[in-house]
Amino acid sequence: MNKKILATGVFFGVIAIVLGAFAAHGLKKLVDADAIQSFETGVRYQLYHAFLLLIIGSSSFLNIKAKKWVFYLIIVGVLCFSGSIYGLATDALSSFNFKSIALITPLGGVLLISAWLVMLIDILKSKVN
């Protein structure tokens, strides 16, 4: 499980760096400043959670059940939160109306918050000092 968590963390990190570079260099010519700022928010949250996956995958402070829950909550949360922000920020460039699925963004945020809460609960329940 740790290898899968670490690999996902690295993958999310690589994609965040690529998307951040795209926003800084290619996207600025195509969308307005507000859209760039939104896009960068998606990148930032994806990168935060990539780092969190790297920490979780390389440590033992969570039990395996909590790790699995956190792992899946982060995957779905990042896809919903950051993914929908990427879509909304680039809505003008697509034939798909991403505004029709805008409620996915807060759902993703709730999933990411839930991942952190699962970690907190597991840490508080652990017998480690």
Side-chain angles (χ1 to χ4, degrees):
M1 185 73 195
N2 286 336
K3 188 174 183 179
K4 186 187 294 188
I5 294 171
L6 289 168
T8 303
V10 170
F11 177 75
F12 275 4
V14 168
I15 297 301
I17 298 299
V18 169
L19 290 173
F22 171 65
H25 301 289
L27 200 54
K28 284 192 177 182
K29 299 171 186 137
L30 303 173
V31 296
D32 64 24
D34 288 340
I36 294 294
Q37 190 173 16
S38 292
F39 196 93
E40 289 173 347
T41 297
V43 169
R44 191 170 47 254
Y45 276 79
Q46 180 174 333
L47 196 54
Y48 293 157
H49 289 88
F51 286 137
L52 181 58
L53 288 172
L54 293 174
I55 291 167
I56 291 168
S58 60
S59 63
S60 60
F61 63 89
L62 294 176
N63 70 49
I64 191 68
K65 184 178 176 183
K67 275 188 181 189
K68 284 181 181 180
W69 271 103
V70 170
F71 175 63
Y72 293 119
L73 287 167
I74 288 175
I75 288 175
V76 177
V78 165
L79 291 175
C80 290
F81 183 81
S82 293
S84 65
I85 288 176
Y86 300 147
L88 289 165
T90 59
D91 193 52
L93 306 176
S94 169
S95 62
F96 182 78
N97 181 9
F98 283 96
K99 292 177 181 145
S100 66
I101 60 166
L103 290 178
I104 291 177
T105 308
L107 171 65
V110 168
L111 294 173
L112 294 174
I113 292 166
S114 297
W116 287 89
L117 290 174
V118 168
M119 282 192 334
L120 175 63
I121 291 166
D122 192 65
I123 290 168
L124 294 175
K125 286 173 34 179
S126 74
K127 299 193 186 326
V128 179
N129 291 330

